[in-house]
């Protein structure tokens, strides 16, 4: 298949770039700006594509006869989205309209990546795809708008709502904790927000597996299990043999302009039933991530 992948400089696209699944297809990695990226795989070049430009998206699709779009692009700075609401909606909703319309016009499949932040965190059991969305912040609202645009567009689609995405690539919680654990004797991490880490290679595996099926629609996907950010950080330091002490704290200890869900565990029953595929536990995935990080950065 010919696959267009947006947001090429982000961690999910970088994960696809280094995946074995990528070798089976013809991939077109694109980004709004083309820049030098040491994480980029030398097998692939990154082309320039502004997905907020509808004509440019259509031209890319038709010129290259694209079969699938995997949308890894988006505005992901949760705090800044409160201030830059228009920018968040432009990237997470308006641009998605262009991708959905282009997919429909070319009978292509659109794979769109969404977030647990579409929920308000008031639940006490894992969220199902049928539960009512009620975002607490502008980032969540912009992502929910994108989901609704895709679902209402009439294009063939797969939407994956994920949480706490991490990998050896890009900027993420895992890499931040790993870096701080080598520089500081102790760190404070919030212990009153519960969710599930999602290892990017496991998400990539799920995406490519689902693409090969006839199933379409909205699915939750994270690793199995649940934890707080504190528990995640503590396990990272433990698995990395770090002497850094991880101390629990409360969200209120770090005043911020953005409200985040206190509970955002996602129910993966629909994914597992539909695709008959098991999902690794987050602790097992973390072990694999650390091994991959050792290979990527041998002197870490």
């Amino acid at each position: 298949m010919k696959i267009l992948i947006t947001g090429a400089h982000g961690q999910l696209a970088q994960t696809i770039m280094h995946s074995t699944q990528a070798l089976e297809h013809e991939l077109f990695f694109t980004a709004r700006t083309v820049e030098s990226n040491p994480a980029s795989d030398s097998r692939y070049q990154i082309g320039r594509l502004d997905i907020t430009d509808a004509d440019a998206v259509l031209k890319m699709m038709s010129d290259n006869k694209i079969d699938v779009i995997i949308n890894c692009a988006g505005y992901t700075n949760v705090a800044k989205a409160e201030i830059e609401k228009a920018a968040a909606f432009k990237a997470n909703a308006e641009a998605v309209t262009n991708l959905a319309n282009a997919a429909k016009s070319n009978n292509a499949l659109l794979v769109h990546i969404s977030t647990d932040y579409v929920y308000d965190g008031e639940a006490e059991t894992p969220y199902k795809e049928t539960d009512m969305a009620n975002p607490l912040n502008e980032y969540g609202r912009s992502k929910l708008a994108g989901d609704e645009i895709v679902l209402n567009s009439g294009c063939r689609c797969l939407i994956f709502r994920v949480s706490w995405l991490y990998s050896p690539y890009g900027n993420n919680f895992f890499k931040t904790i790993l870096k701080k654990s080598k520089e500081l004797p102790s760190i404070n991490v919030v212990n009153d927000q519960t969710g599930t880490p999602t290892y990017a290679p496991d998400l990539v595996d799920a995406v490519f597996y689902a693409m090969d099926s006839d199933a379409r629609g909205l699915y939750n996907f994270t690793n199995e299990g649940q934890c707080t950010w504190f528990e995640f950080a503590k396990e990272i330091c433990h698995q990395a043999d770090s002497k850094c002490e991880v101390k629990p704290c409360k969200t209120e200890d770090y005043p911020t302009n953005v409200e985040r869900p206190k509970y955002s565990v996602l129910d993966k029953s629909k994914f597992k039933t539909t695709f008959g595929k098991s999902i690794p536990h987050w602790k097992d995935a973390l072990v694999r991530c650390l091994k991959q990080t050792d290979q990527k950065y041998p002197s870490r």
Side-chain angles (χ1 to χ4, degrees):
M1 289 188 291
K2 293 186 175 182
I3 305 175
L4 168 63
I5 299 169
T6 65
H9 299 304
Q11 66 165 324
L12 184 55
Q14 290 290 315
T15 300
I16 295 173
M17 196 174 285
H18 291 82
S19 69
T20 56
Q21 294 95 330
L23 301 174
E24 302 174 7
H25 305 282
E26 186 175 357
L27 306 185
F28 298 81
F29 288 91
T30 64
R32 186 169 56 87
T33 59
V34 178
E35 58 193 50
S36 175
N37 190 330
S40 296
D41 192 307
S42 59
R43 293 173 297 175
Y44 303 105
Q45 289 187 333
I46 297 175
R48 181 178 287 106
L49 176 64
D50 181 356
I51 60 174
T52 65
D53 183 336
D55 291 337
V57 173
L58 284 170
K59 187 175 189 304
M60 167 62 77
M61 294 288 292
S62 60
D63 286 355
N64 296 286
K65 296 180 172 55
I66 299 297
D67 300 301
V68 179
I69 305 170
I70 302 179
N71 183 30
C72 301
Y75 188 108
T76 58
N77 191 315
V78 178
K80 284 185 69 175
E82 295 298 302
I83 303 168
E84 300 179 352
K85 176 181 176 180
F89 273 80
K90 185 174 184 179
N92 294 340
E94 294 175 26
V96 174
T97 301
N98 298 335
L99 296 176
N101 288 341
K104 184 177 181 181
S105 297
N106 289 272
N107 194 31
L109 170 67
L110 173 58
V111 180
H112 182 63
I113 309 302
S114 187
T115 175
D116 58 324
Y117 273 46
V118 301
Y119 302 111
D120 59 17
E122 295 299 320
E124 296 181 350
T125 56
Y127 283 98
K128 295 182 178 181
E129 293 85 350
T130 52
D131 288 335
M132 181 178 296
N134 183 34
L136 299 177
N137 51 55
E138 295 301 333
Y139 168 71
R141 283 186 275 274
S142 69
K143 292 297 290 184
L144 178 59
D147 292 359
E148 292 173 343
I149 286 167
V150 174
L151 292 171
N152 294 326
S153 69
C155 75
R156 295 190 297 125
C157 68
L158 283 166
I159 300 176
F160 290 90
R161 284 183 177 159
V162 306
S163 66
W164 301 15
L165 191 68
Y166 72 100
S167 70
Y169 310 106
N171 299 314
N172 57 70
F173 181 82
F174 163 79
K175 289 181 67 177
T176 298
I177 295 299
L178 204 57
K179 182 174 185 293
K180 287 186 175 182
S181 72
K182 294 188 293 184
E183 300 172 344
L184 302 172
S186 66
I187 51 176
N188 297 324
V189 183
V190 294
N191 196 33
D192 55 2
Q193 294 178 26
T194 300
T196 308
T198 306
Y199 183 39
D202 289 344
L203 173 59
V204 168
D205 183 55
V207 165
F208 277 85
Y209 194 89
M211 279 166 41
D212 284 338
S213 76
D214 294 327
R216 300 292 178 254
L218 172 64
Y219 296 89
N220 291 333
F221 186 88
T222 68
N223 284 108
E224 294 282 30
Q226 65 182 56
C227 61
T228 65
W229 287 111
F230 161 75
E231 291 167 335
F232 187 24
K234 192 172 181 179
E235 188 67 17
I236 291 169
C237 291
H238 170 69
Q239 293 290 350
D241 293 324
S242 170
K243 303 301 182 184
C244 178
E245 182 182 5
V246 184
K247 299 179 179 179
C249 64
K250 297 181 179 180
T251 300
E252 63 191 36
D253 294 332
Y254 291 92
T256 177
N257 66 327
V258 58
E259 190 175 1
R260 301 167 189 263
K262 292 183 178 180
Y263 180 90
S264 61
V265 180
L266 303 180
D267 185 308
K268 281 83 64 177
S269 298
K270 181 182 177 183
F271 175 87
K272 290 184 287 187
T273 299
T274 301
F275 301 106
K277 186 172 175 60
S278 62
I279 302 174
H281 193 276
W282 72 266
K283 287 187 178 182
D284 297 328
L286 177 59
V287 172
R288 285 184 282 121
C289 184
L290 283 162
K291 288 180 179 178
Q292 186 181 5
T293 304
D294 281 334
Q295 295 170 0
K296 186 172 175 358
Y297 305 109
S299 61
R300 76 169 178 84

